[in-house]
């Protein structure tokens, strides 16, 4: 059962990412296709990241079957995030190559660091790499990495709330992230 969940997570990330590319670039190509592809791959990858990020806080707070499954598969949610977010990077590159827009230096440096951390975490997501790095170094990389990525998404969501609409999906995402940060803080204080 557990092996099946791992396979389903990784396969779903790959297939959904491919379907988004196919949909926006082949089925309904338009002037906005590259931008929409980038936007939807960001949403997809965030869902996997959020599952990995929230797993320990939810399990510590609720300790039910669902939170245990989430925690047990956190590594595979993280790897699924890396797959989906790699497609997001491809979509961004495709968008900027095909448009007159240029990414800001903050986006390039901040996003670049996020991708370095993401690939570093993905490459060290095996038991062998945990032993090779040492648990302290491995934990530092993964703690800094996931928090950096979640905070980067949070800032993007907040910016989108003000640019798009307060009643957008980004408001729900931002509130969900803030709720998990609150749970993590509460759990830490309780310890």
């Amino acid at each position: 059962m557990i092996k099946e969940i791992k396979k389903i997570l990784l396969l779903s990330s790959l297939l959904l990412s491919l379907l988004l590319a196919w949909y926006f670039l082949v089925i309904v190509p338009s002037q906005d296709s590259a931008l929409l592809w980038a936007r939807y791959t960001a949403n997809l990858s965030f869902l996997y990241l959020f599952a990995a990020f929230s797993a320990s806080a939810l399990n510590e707070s609720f300790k039910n079957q669902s939170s245990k499954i989430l925690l047990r598969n956190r590594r595979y949610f993280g790897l699924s995030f890396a797959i989906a977010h790699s497609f997001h990077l491809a979509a961004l590159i495709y968008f900027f190559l095909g448009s007159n827009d240029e990414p800001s230096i903050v986006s390039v440096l901040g996003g670049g660091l996020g991708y370095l951390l993401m690939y570093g975490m993905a490459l060290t997501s095996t038991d062998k790499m945990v032993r090779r790095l040492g648990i302290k170094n491995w934990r530092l990389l993964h703690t800094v990495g996931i928090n950096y990525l979640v905070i980067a998404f949070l800032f993007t969501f907040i910016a989108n709330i003000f640019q798009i609409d307060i009643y957008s999906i980004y408001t729900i995402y931002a509130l969900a992230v803030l709720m998990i940060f609150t749970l993590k803080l509460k759990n830490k204080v309780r310890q």
Side-chain angles (χ1 to χ4, degrees), residues 79-148:
L79 290 170
S80 297
F81 162 72
I83 292 168
H85 215 53
S86 295
F87 277 87
H88 177 64
L89 178 59
L92 287 174
I93 292 169
Y94 183 76
F95 170 74
F96 285 116
L97 288 176
S99 72
N100 293 329
D101 291 352
E102 289 185 20
S104 69
I105 191 71
V106 172
S107 295
V108 171
L109 294 176
L113 177 58
Y115 277 100
L116 285 175
L117 288 167
M118 179 189 79
Y119 288 124
M121 290 188 301
L123 291 171
T124 59
S125 286
T126 63
D127 293 339
K128 184 178 178 180
M129 287 304 292
V130 173
R131 287 189 298 276
R132 182 179 276 180
L133 282 176
I135 191 68
K136 191 175 180 181
N137 292 328
W138 181 88
R139 200 170 269 144
L140 177 65
L141 170 63
H142 285 254
T143 301
V144 168
I146 199 161
N147 282 292
Y148 180 90

Side-chain angles (χ1 to χ4, degrees), residues 32-187:
D32 296 330
S33 288
L35 183 59
L36 290 170
W37 181 33
R39 188 171 294 149
Y40 280 89
T41 53
N43 282 282
L44 175 64
S45 60
F46 171 72
L47 296 175
Y48 290 109
L49 177 66
F50 185 74
F53 174 69
S54 63
S56 62
L58 292 173
N59 189 57
E60 202 168 317
S61 296
F62 301 108
K63 293 195 187 306
N64 59 35
Q65 189 64 26
S66 297
S67 67
K68 287 176 184 170
I69 290 171
L70 193 62
L71 185 64
R72 219 176 292 126
N73 291 287
R74 178 174 43 184
R75 176 182 289 176
Y76 294 92
F77 279 107
L79 290 170
S80 297
F81 162 72
I83 292 168
H85 215 53
S86 295
F87 277 87
H88 177 64
L89 178 59
L92 287 174
I93 292 169
Y94 183 76
F95 170 74
F96 285 116
L97 288 176
S99 72
N100 293 329
D101 291 352
E102 289 185 20
S104 69
I105 191 71
V106 172
S107 295
V108 171
L109 294 176
L113 177 58
Y115 277 100
L116 285 175
L117 288 167
M118 179 189 79
Y119 288 124
M121 290 188 301
L123 291 171
T124 59
S125 286
T126 63
D127 293 339
K128 184 178 178 180
M129 287 304 292
V130 173
R131 287 189 298 276
R132 182 179 276 180
L133 282 176
I135 191 68
K136 191 175 180 181
N137 292 328
W138 181 88
R139 200 170 269 144
L140 177 65
L141 170 63
H142 285 254
T143 301
V144 168
I146 199 161
N147 282 292
Y148 180 90
L149 290 164
V150 169
I151 289 168
F153 269 98
L154 180 61
F155 279 117
T156 303
F157 298 151
I158 291 169
N160 282 331
I161 290 168
F162 291 110
Q163 290 175 358
I164 299 172
D165 186 6
I166 189 88
Y167 301 108
S168 70
I169 189 71
Y170 302 112
T171 303
I172 295 168
Y173 289 165
L175 290 173
V177 167
L178 292 173
M179 285 172 48
I180 295 300
F181 271 125
T182 303
L183 265 182
K184 285 178 180 272
L185 185 62
K186 182 182 142 210
N187 292 339

